[in-house]
Amino acid sequence: MTERTGRAVVLEEFGRPLRLREFPLPPAPAGGMVVACGYGGICGTDLHLQQGHLDIPVPLVLGHEGLGVIRELGDGPYQDATGAPLAAGDTVMWASSLACGVCPPCRLHREPTLCERRRTYGVNRALADGPELSGAWADHIVLQPGTTVIKVPDGTDPLAAMSLACAGPTVAHALYERRPVRLGETVVVQGSGPVGLAAAAFAQLAGAAKVVVVGGPAGRLERAAAAGIGDVHLNIADAADPEKILREVRAATGGDGADLVIECAGVPAAVGQGLTLARRGGSYLIIGQYTDAGDTLINPHQIVHRQLDVVGSWAFTGAHLVEYVRLLPALTARFDLASLVTPFPLERHADALTAVADGSVMKAVLTS
């Protein structure tokens, strides 16, 4: 019998080109599954991983967001996170991380996103740990027991689902549990990448009266507007005078500032700016600073004078992925999410990474 194999994009050394390699495809583990991973999203975090900005083991297969079709199930009865039965041939998405369940954040603080021993597909599952196919930038991925798996609603465009595959659950965590959007609020979103657009779209679904997106470059803002995401779009990335754009943001909120400002830019300097965009008594929700990009100057008087609630939100759990997938019918009915995605075959992974880095695409997805 011919040995089954799978292809995957491997990070072998930080700062070096990635390599497409072939690995044996193992049988599904007991309680787990093998998924034919047709779609693997490229997240901004992946660029940082490739450059060695986060402490991860190498070599490993990258890709922490994916969608695919179940090829094989291990021993045991199978249900997805909602209790629906699972079978080979079902289209699914899966949560990138498994929390340990026993460390203080998991056991005592009800904060599994802060788990001290999180294992994350495509981030800290090295080739040497096995199985090698443990990232979504591959034509197959082996999912371990305990992974949160959710069926994708029938009729969902896979590219639409992948448009916010990591950003959507991340924002679900932030807006469900850290600081919700309230009916009729004015919301400013800093950043027009996938996280920013997820925040803007979710805010619109939640009943915000107005959503102002401030980001750039111009092409991203145009694509967001064409997809129906955001009410006002202001380009600060290309501005010769950023202060002028900040004045325009305040004017768009009615002059007093937003009820809620959501930082999704990942640029440290955005934090100091964002504090000045909230109204007195408002809130500032910081999602974008996932990677330590360095320090920035802020004026603490802006926090006190405005009496701001400043809230951080880190990553997401499987439950937040479930909420994102449940929202996909509503999201795709209102927003043209598929238009945000540019697909690349696995062989063109280098081109895809370059396009993400230079901002020429909104969302790149590797396909197999």
Side-chain angles (χ1 to χ4, degrees):
M1 178 174 160
T2 304
E3 183 180 36
R4 305 186 307 171
T5 61
R7 298 181 308 148
V9 178
V10 179
L11 170 61
E12 296 180 330
E13 295 180 60
F14 297 126
R16 303 290 297 169
L18 307 178
R19 200 152 73 90
L20 187 59
R21 291 175 52 180
E22 195 166 282
F23 298 98
L25 184 61
M33 64 189 71
V34 174
V35 174
C37 183
Y39 303 87
I42 298 179
C43 176
T45 301
D46 292 313
L47 300 181
H48 295 292
L49 295 176
Q50 196 241 351
Q51 293 300 318
H53 296 165
L54 288 93
D55 183 20
I56 61 168
V58 291
L60 85 165
V61 175
L62 286 172
H64 57 274
E65 48 182 88
L67 179 150
V69 174
I70 296 174
R71 172 168 172 164
E72 180 184 320
L73 293 164
D75 294 334
Y78 282 89
Q79 296 177 325
D80 78 353
T82 69
L86 287 175
D90 287 339
T91 299
V92 295
M93 298 180 78
W94 53 92
S96 53
S97 296
L98 284 80
C100 73
V102 296
C103 69
C106 285
R107 184 166 37 87
L108 300 178
H109 305 150
R110 303 174 302 284
E111 286 287 0
T113 55
L114 305 182
C115 173
E116 295 169 358
R117 291 188 287 274
R118 288 174 88 205
R119 298 297 308 281
T120 302
Y121 297 109
V123 175
N124 63 3
R125 290 181 172 270
L127 297 185
D129 297 337
E132 294 94 345
L133 294 168
S134 293
W137 292 8
D139 56 18
H140 288 81
I141 185 171
V142 181
L143 299 182
Q144 299 300 317
T147 303
T148 298
V149 176
I150 177 77
K151 276 187 182 180
V152 176
D154 291 342
T156 301
D157 182 340
L159 292 181
M162 287 302 301
S163 66
L164 306 175
C166 179
T170 297
V171 171
H173 176 216
L175 296 187
Y176 275 61
E177 300 186 45
R178 301 300 290 154
R179 203 300 192 171
V181 174
R182 301 174 182 125
L183 283 173
E185 286 193 318
T186 298
V187 177
V188 167
V189 175
Q190 295 177 277
S192 51
V195 176
L197 297 197
F202 279 37
Q204 288 172 274
L205 281 186
K210 180 186 278 188
V211 176
V212 181
V213 179
V214 53
R220 284 194 166 194
L221 293 170
E222 290 164 4
R223 185 167 282 194
I229 299 175
D231 301 303
V232 179
H233 305 83
L234 296 169
N235 186 349
I236 198 168
D238 300 326
D241 182 4
E243 282 299 324
K244 177 177 180 293
I245 303 301
L246 294 175
R247 289 193 294 271
E248 291 181 16
V249 175
R250 294 185 199 102
T253 69
D256 293 329
D259 301 293
L260 171 63
V261 179
I262 310 175
E263 186 282 312
C264 305
V267 178
V271 176
Q273 295 173 344
L275 292 173
T276 71
L277 300 177
R279 67 167 173 83
R280 297 189 75 182
S283 299
Y284 191 47
L285 175 61
I286 304 174
I287 307 175
Q289 306 293 325
Y290 190 86
T291 301
D292 186 351
D295 297 333
T296 189
L297 289 174
I298 64 168
N299 183 342
H301 173 70
Q302 294 292 340
I303 299 173
V304 175
H305 171 70
R306 294 171 190 276
Q307 195 167 294
L308 297 183
D309 292 323
V310 180
V311 180
S313 185
W314 175 260
F316 65 90
T317 70
H320 304 119
L321 173 70
V322 172
E323 296 301 339
Y324 170 64
V325 174
R326 280 176 161 172
L327 280 172
L328 276 173
L331 286 165
T332 55
R334 182 162 178 179
F335 308 109
D336 186 5
L337 297 186
S339 70
L340 305 177
V341 177
T342 303
F344 294 82
L346 281 179
E347 294 83 359
R348 292 186 57 207
H349 57 270
D351 294 337
L353 281 169
T354 298
V356 173
D358 65 22
S360 59
V361 301
M362 173 67 75
K363 178 69 179 181
V365 173
L366 298 178
T367 60
S368 60

